[in-house]
Amino acid sequence: MMRRLRKDDTVVILAGKDKGQQGDIVRFVGHDRVVVGNINTVVKHQKQGKPGERHGLIEKEAALHISNVAIFNHHTEKADKVGLRTDEDGKKVRFFRSSGTVIDEE
């Protein structure tokens, strides 16, 4: 199965308190949530565990639902949808829906 979004893709936040901001995907949480770098930060009250571990008020990134992010198209400078198709070699490729250009050549 090929994902429409991948790690290190630049995305735009479509909804929520950080609407309109851009960031890179850091990791996936489950199959429908993503963590975007320096976006959707929350304060966590961390109890002290072993000596040397961070504790107290810790700021960390929370996961966003995948429907609230869209890939950033560098050519149009806007958020865009991603489509999947097979190329001439029979490989699946991702492309921007607005222009039809292939996102990454692998």
Side-chain angles (χ1 to χ4, degrees):
M1 183 179 101
M2 183 177 207
R3 286 187 167 163
R4 293 174 195 269
L5 295 176
R6 294 184 186 163
K7 186 177 174 183
D8 296 328
D9 278 347
T10 303
V11 293
V12 178
I13 308 303
L14 300 177
K17 67 179 183 180
D18 296 317
K19 181 178 179 178
Q21 293 186 17
Q22 296 178 16
D24 292 336
I25 295 178
V26 177
R27 69 179 187 273
F28 284 85
V29 180
H31 68 282
D32 62 346
R33 299 186 78 79
V34 293
V35 175
V36 181
N38 297 325
I39 303 289
N40 197 29
T41 56
V42 295
V43 176
K44 179 174 173 47
H45 299 263
Q46 182 69 44
K47 188 175 177 182
Q48 184 174 9
K50 299 174 187 169
E53 285 185 354
R54 291 181 57 195
H55 61 277
L57 297 177
I58 297 175
E59 199 166 302
K60 61 186 288 187
E61 299 143 350
L64 292 163
H65 196 270
I66 205 163
S67 66
N68 293 331
V69 298
I71 195 163
F72 182 72
N73 189 340
H74 294 285
H75 300 293
T76 61
E77 300 291 322
K78 293 181 181 177
D80 207 341
K81 291 184 179 179
V82 178
L84 296 173
R85 68 176 175 218
T86 49
D87 61 358
E88 300 83 31
D89 302 332
K91 295 173 98 177
K92 277 190 178 180
V93 293
R94 301 185 304 158
F95 67 96
F96 291 118
R97 291 272 185 164
S98 63
S99 60
T101 57
V102 176
I103 295 175
D104 41 18
E105 297 287 333
E106 290 184 13

